[in-house]
Amino acid sequence: MEKINALAKKLAEQGYKVECFENSEAAVTYLDSQLDNETIGIGGSQTVKQMKLYPVLAAHNKVYWHDEMPDNMTVMEVRQAAFRAPVYISSVNAIALDGTIVNIDATGNRVAAISFGPRDIYLLVGRNKITKDYDSAIYRARNIAAPLNAQRLNRKTPCAAKADRCYDCKSPERICRNFCVFRERPYGATYHVILINEDLGY
């Protein structure tokens, strides 16, 4: 927990609201207690899936997530509804010990929502996402998270073949199209960073 505690202190200094948990079950219990009768959007997130967070929140909130599609909506409609929600939940691709947060997106719905719009933004961070500095955070997002996501999505890109590194390709199926970097906490919303002492997501 040493790195998590150091990161929590830095994030708090930057104005983020920070909570630390030993495991994802404790984090889910906390989020379940904080979010009731809300409209919630969720970005594409393997962390959320691994935590089994959706059914817990959906039991007493209206939740829009394109991994759990309603019968009467398209993927784009769900993404737009998630973007308009007053509460938005996302994971991150990397976070440096200086508080820099890095995300890569293809469509842009996730990085757009965490940058502007919702009243409350919850960023869920497993210990595997923590890096020593800005350069290593960018490296992790490009060379670890993006290739694994491209492989999961069965994209026809060089990185998806082995999920080994970024090839900076020009493939029409390239997913690393939107880069979002928070050097400090953005204005305009309350940001909650949930640090979890488990490896979660990519």
Side-chain angles (χ1 to χ4, degrees):
M1 286 286 286
E2 185 176 345
K3 281 201 303 185
I4 287 178
N5 291 333
L7 176 58
K9 181 179 178 182
K10 185 64 177 178
L11 290 168
E13 290 172 356
Q14 294 178 352
Y16 293 96
K17 293 184 179 297
V18 187
E19 299 289 342
C20 302
F21 298 95
E22 279 288 353
N23 54 60
S24 57
E25 289 83 2
V28 169
T29 298
Y30 170 78
L31 291 165
D32 188 37
S33 72
Q34 296 297 300
L35 299 170
D36 182 53
N37 198 29
E38 293 275 11
T39 300
I40 301 170
I42 302 179
S45 172
Q46 291 302 293
T47 295
V48 168
K49 186 174 290 187
Q50 289 174 17
M51 291 173 67
K52 299 180 175 62
L53 180 60
Y54 174 84
V56 174
L57 294 182
H60 55 105
N61 297 276
K62 181 65 176 177
V63 183
Y64 293 101
W65 187 28
H66 59 273
D67 273 27
E68 296 283 345
M69 288 291 299
D71 293 334
N72 61 338
M73 298 178 73
T74 66
V75 170
M76 189 56 69
E77 286 171 340
V78 172
R79 286 174 171 157
Q80 289 169 340
F83 177 80
R84 292 191 297 268
V87 177
Y88 196 86
I89 296 173
S90 174
S91 53
V92 305
N93 294 137
I95 183 168
L97 287 172
D98 68 358
T100 300
I101 298 172
V102 178
N103 278 289
I104 295 177
D105 219 353
T107 305
N109 57 297
R110 182 172 61 107
V111 299
I114 67 172
S115 297
F116 177 79
R119 181 194 73 228
D120 286 273
I121 296 162
Y122 289 80
L123 300 176
L124 313 183
V125 184
R127 66 190 175 194
N128 52 314
K129 306 292 185 69
I130 302 172
T131 70
K132 64 179 181 178
D133 56 22
Y134 169 80
D135 288 337
S136 57
I138 293 290
Y139 180 90
R140 187 188 192 287
R142 292 188 63 191
N143 294 281
I144 297 175
L148 286 169
N149 272 308
Q151 187 178 71
R152 175 179 62 85
L153 296 167
N154 296 313
R155 294 300 181 98
K156 294 179 176 62
T157 59
C159 71
K162 296 181 180 179
D164 56 346
R165 66 180 177 88
C166 174
Y167 291 79
D168 198 19
C169 71
K170 303 303 179 187
S171 168
E173 295 196 15
R174 175 177 177 156
I175 68 168
C176 48
R177 295 174 178 268
N178 288 276
F179 284 67
C180 174
V181 178
F182 292 174
R183 295 309 298 259
E184 297 281 345
R185 176 186 57 82
Y187 295 128
T190 300
Y191 283 82
H192 309 258
V193 181
I194 309 300
L195 300 176
I196 305 167
N197 192 28
E198 278 184 15
D199 291 347
L200 293 165
Y202 300 152

